Amino acid sequence: MTLFYEYSYIFTQCGFVSTSIANTLFIYLTILHIKKITGTYKVMVLVFSFIGLFFSAWELVSRPFCHNYNKALMYFSLNTWLAEYPEFLRIAIGIYAALYIVILAIIAVQFLFRYFTLCQQNFARKFGGTGVIVWMFYVFLSGSIYAGTMHVFCGSDEFSDSYMRWGVIKFLLSGVAIIALQYLIIIYCGVSMHNVLQKEFAQQSVVNRKLQKQFFRALVVQTIVPTFLFVLPIAPFLIGPLIQPFFLFEMNFETGWMYVILCLYPPIDTIAFMLIVSEYKTATLEMFKPVLPKGVKVTSEISTSTAAAVTRQ
């Protein structure tokens, strides 16, 4: 009988192709055609898209998989063409894990930036210039801590090879803390932004209201969709080794397939952003206008001058 992991590479390849198409189109439109996203926010969305591309490409190299067995959570690589370099594959899995946290941290930083843009525009300007180095450092530091704890606590040794060691528990606890921090930022800024938008909308122009709503909805969807599709389904298996000793139930699951579907994370986030922010739809239709039916009209809903003013920080 063919096991699921034998098909995992096909899923990974499909994820890479879909990410390459979606993110390359997004980067092209953002750099050459999108006028309403400028300044610091433009840097953020481009970094987010480039990291998504690298995340998807690196999955082809690291090919992470895992298995839950009672108190143990075993990570390993299915890469066969680099099997002679086990230490490299161990590092590759760590980098893959770090990139997932980096993507989540970038979303959290975008929430912070949009929140300060609405509430404290002077502080929002600090995200630009040398501030880019600061939030980039935070983003990669979050991923580095996650990968570092995996490397330190989850290495192979005589005891863990036979079953497991407490280092795995330390890694899981640190990982949960890092992920929880990102979601705490997202939830706090999201709720605050929603309250501010409700109070301030009456004083803003129709153009500004529509644009701010689109950015807010895009961030919310970029957070909620991956959370329900990927994070929540994986969570019970991540915390399984923590609770299994207390409930004494048997765990023996091939959970690697959940990590395989993470390849769909970047394209879903990118496509969601492009569908919600109307200028991307307009720019895409304009680009494909020569091959579209003559009855399809390409219109812009938001004036460029006003929109650029409210996004430039």
Side-chain angles (χ1 to χ4, degrees):
M1 183 178 70
T2 304
L3 299 177
F4 178 83
Y5 73 82
E6 298 178 22
Y7 295 108
S8 64
Y9 196 50
I10 298 176
F11 282 84
T12 302
Q13 290 173 314
C14 291
F16 173 70
V17 171
S18 58
T19 300
S20 298
I21 295 173
N23 286 32
T24 300
L25 176 61
F26 181 86
I27 292 168
Y28 169 76
L29 293 176
T30 302
I31 293 176
L32 298 178
H33 294 278
I34 302 301
K35 306 299 181 183
K36 305 178 183 69
I37 297 179
T38 60
T40 304
Y41 194 48
K42 187 171 187 175
V43 174
M44 287 182 178
V45 297
L46 285 174
V47 169
F48 179 81
S49 191
F50 276 115
I51 293 297
L53 264 175
F54 186 66
F55 174 80
S56 182
W58 193 254
E59 188 174 7
L60 291 173
V61 177
S62 60
R63 294 198 59 194
F65 213 76
C66 71
H67 191 97
N68 280 73
Y69 182 74
N70 293 334
K71 293 182 291 183
L73 180 59
M74 296 166 282
Y75 291 95
F76 51 92
S77 173
L78 295 179
N79 188 309
T80 56
W81 46 279
L82 289 174
E84 297 179 358
Y85 307 96
E87 186 59 30
F88 172 79
L89 291 177
R90 180 186 173 190
I91 295 173
I93 293 176
I95 294 174
Y96 172 83
L99 289 172
Y100 170 74
I101 300 298
V102 165
I103 290 175
L104 186 58
I106 291 177
I107 295 178
V109 168
Q110 288 185 55
F111 265 95
L112 271 175
F113 177 72
R114 297 311 311 170
Y115 168 74
F116 285 120
T117 298
L118 290 174
C119 303
Q120 301 180 37
Q121 291 192 11
N122 289 333
F123 193 83
R125 293 189 179 93
K126 296 182 183 297
F127 281 73
T130 56
V132 173
I133 300 175
V134 176
W135 60 259
M136 286 281 285
F137 176 77
Y138 166 77
V139 164
F140 286 101
L141 177 64
S142 299
S144 298
I145 292 174
Y146 189 77
T149 54
M150 173 183 283
H151 183 80
V152 171
F153 297 134
C154 300
S156 176
D157 61 19
E158 183 178 349
F159 182 68
S160 61
D161 285 345
S162 62
Y163 191 51
M164 71 161 291
R165 62 174 174 166
W166 280 102
V168 176
I169 303 299
K170 296 177 184 177
F171 162 67
L172 291 175
L173 290 175
S174 63
V176 169
I178 294 171
I179 294 174
L181 174 62
Q182 314 310 322
Y183 275 97
L184 180 63
I185 294 172
I186 289 170
I187 292 172
Y188 174 80
C189 293
V191 173
S192 300
M193 286 168 60
H194 179 267
N195 293 335
V196 170
L197 289 173
Q198 294 299 318
K199 293 178 181 178
E200 300 293 332
F201 263 14
Q203 304 173 12
Q204 297 180 8
S205 66
V206 175
V207 171
N208 194 17
R209 290 202 301 267
K210 182 176 290 187
L211 188 64
Q212 294 294 352
K213 276 186 176 181
Q214 288 179 1
F215 289 150
F216 179 70
R217 288 172 181 169
L219 284 174
V220 170
V221 171
Q222 284 181 312
T223 304
I224 291 178
V225 172
T227 298
F228 281 93
L229 287 181
F230 309 122
V231 178
L232 291 182
I234 291 175
F237 299 99
L238 282 176
I239 65 174
L242 300 177
I243 63 175
Q244 193 274 339
F246 300 100
F247 292 94
L248 300 178
F249 57 83
E250 294 291 321
M251 291 185 66
N252 187 10
F253 304 113
E254 186 180 292
T255 49
W257 63 270
M258 291 188 175
Y259 294 86
V260 171
I261 63 174
L262 277 176
C263 64
L264 299 178
Y265 190 167
I268 286 178
D269 269 4
T270 300
I271 293 171
F273 194 95
M274 294 175 67
L275 288 176
I276 294 172
V277 179
S278 60
E279 190 180 11
Y280 281 95
K281 292 186 290 185
T282 302
T284 303
L285 289 173
E286 186 67 40
M287 186 172 64
F288 291 104
K289 187 176 180 179
V291 297
L292 290 175
K294 294 184 179 180
V296 177
K297 295 182 179 180
V298 180
T299 59
S300 178
E301 298 180 6
I302 305 175
S303 66
T304 300
S305 59
T306 305
V310 299
T311 58
R312 184 183 294 112
Q313 295 293 340

